[in-house]
Amino acid sequence: MDLGLSEEQELLKNSAREFLEKECPEEHVRAMEDDEKGYSPELWKKMADLGWQGLMIPEEYGGAGFSFLDLCILVEEFGRALVPGPFIPNAVCAAELILAGTEEQKKKYLPNIANGTAIHTYAITEPSGRWDREGIEMKATQSGSDFVLNGTKLFVPDAHVADYLHVVAWKPDGRLSTFIVPRTAEGISITVLKTIASDKQCEVVFKDVKVPAADVIDMDDKTAARLRNMATCLECAYLVGLAQRDFEISVNYAKERVQFGRPIGSFQAIQHKAADMVTDVDGMRFIMYKAAWATSENEDSQDMDTAMAKAWCSDASRRVVAHGQQIHGGIGFTKDYIIQLYFRRQKRAELFWGDGDYHRERVAQMLEI
């Protein structure tokens, strides 16, 4: 397997880094923590002009037609810059959920996602906090030709600014399906939750919300597995970029911080931490790319590769940001320093789509041990 990036992928990676260093500096990330929307519509429009929202959408629907692996390369740079906003859930909905729908659904939704005029997000988890099928208890009832949703979805990313929610629930016939619901539909109430990452996760309550049959996508086992694998890989990619930048910031601090008349980076204890950090980051990157490639190529190993990647990336990134805090000392926990931004956002991505324990259990089940 060639672990190197193609010339086109290198161009995507480098151009994304250059753009985000200019358009999403630390000041922007901090400002969005207190912003009501949690993202910048101006930055969202600029990203759409670059074709990022439609990166994986086929060209016939207004997208760029790139691969899922290319999307992961882009999201790695999002993690590095801590880009706030609904890009990842929007990409997941476009990349798998809508592409699994009918031709009419694709023509209706994909062009507006690609040009940045519509934001989509997924509503999967419920009060149980589980990411598997067993955690979904919401059941749709039939009302003529429509379906009716009642229940609560928790930790829905950016629901308060999304134009459409992709609500995963059970149909009366027992099939797991996605119900595409406008955020402004009657019977929906949204509450933004307070989180450690200061992102915009929401509680969404549905009370007699009607959904036309034309806006329902049935999910077979293959589609559900692809959704999980894609979303999980994107969180891994985000964690790789986050951990890489955390490592760089910590090493630079160790070179500049002087104690006992010498930079603290000259002390062996600090060097050991830096060595452990780069080992973890490199391991994260290789195992993430393996899972992203397997998912992009629809390989038989994608379920196993993705579970192993998330198990490693969740735990390794936690070790990396912990070392980063320790290298900075107590000052690293103050809001004046950038390093705490990475520490807090790592925790969100570590838990989204399952933590290390959850995915190690999945690996054990697939190995039948």
Side-chain angles (χ1 to χ4, degrees), residues 21-69:
E21 284 177 351
K22 177 183 177 182
E23 299 291 342
C24 188
E26 176 188 349
E27 293 77 18
H28 176 77
V29 177
R30 290 179 179 274
M32 290 302 104
E33 287 195 338
D34 299 323
D35 186 84
E36 189 175 290
K37 291 186 177 71
Y39 85 109
S40 165
E42 292 78 17
L43 178 57
W44 186 261
K45 178 64 168 60
K46 291 179 181 179
M47 293 192 297
D49 292 340
L50 292 171
W52 288 357
Q53 282 89 327
L55 193 72
M56 203 182 143
I57 295 175
E59 293 181 17
E60 60 262 38
Y61 305 113
F66 281 46
S67 71
F68 177 69
L69 179 58

Side-chain angles (χ1 to χ4, degrees), residues 60-61 97-113 120 164 180 213-217:
E60 60 262 38
Y61 305 113
L97 290 177
I98 298 177
L99 285 174
T102 65
E103 188 65 24
E104 290 73 20
Q105 290 167 335
K106 294 174 188 176
K107 290 179 179 179
K108 178 180 179 181
Y109 294 112
L110 290 179
N112 288 336
I113 293 178
H120 292 237
Y164 295 95
I180 305 177
D215 286 329
V216 179
I217 302 174

Side-chain angles (χ1 to χ4, degrees), residues 205-259:
V205 178
F206 299 84
K207 185 175 181 181
D208 297 328
V209 178
K210 290 187 176 182
V211 185
D215 286 329
V216 179
I217 302 174
D218 290 332
M219 296 174 63
D220 56 21
D221 291 342
K222 181 180 179 181
T223 301
R226 289 278 293 170
L227 166 65
R228 179 190 61 216
N229 291 339
M230 285 184 168
T232 303
C233 278
L234 290 176
E235 292 296 341
C236 290
Y238 183 91
L239 282 171
V240 170
L242 180 154
Q244 176 68 49
R245 186 60 184 143
D246 190 285
F247 164 71
E248 293 171 2
I249 293 171
S250 299
V251 168
N252 289 336
Y253 180 81
K255 291 177 180 178
E256 298 169 357
R257 174 75 166 93
V258 175
Q259 187 59 270

Side-chain angles (χ1 to χ4, degrees), residues 5 25 27 32 68 85 107 126 147 173 194 201 204 262 276 291 294 298 314 349 356 359:
L5 302 181
E27 293 77 18
M32 290 302 104
F68 177 69
K107 290 179 179 179
E126 299 183 10
F147 293 93
D173 60 9
K194 187 174 182 179
Q201 298 177 42
V204 184
R262 53 196 286 196
D276 288 342
N298 206 17
S314 288
H359 284 283

Side-chain angles (χ1 to χ4, degrees), residues 21 24-26 29-30 79-82 241-257 264-265 270 274 277-278 281 320-321 323-329 331-332 336-343:
E21 284 177 351
C24 188
E26 176 188 349
V29 177
R30 290 179 179 274
R80 179 184 179 87
L82 300 182
L242 180 154
Q244 176 68 49
R245 186 60 184 143
D246 190 285
F247 164 71
E248 293 171 2
I249 293 171
S250 299
V251 168
N252 289 336
Y253 180 81
K255 291 177 180 178
E256 298 169 357
R257 174 75 166 93
I264 63 172
I270 299 297
M277 291 171 79
V278 74
V281 171
V320 169
V321 298
H323 282 321
Q325 294 296 140
Q326 290 162 3
I327 289 174
H328 280 76
I331 199 71
D336 291 338
Y337 274 68
I338 188 174
I339 200 72
Q340 49 83 26
L341 296 172
Y342 290 82
F343 184 89

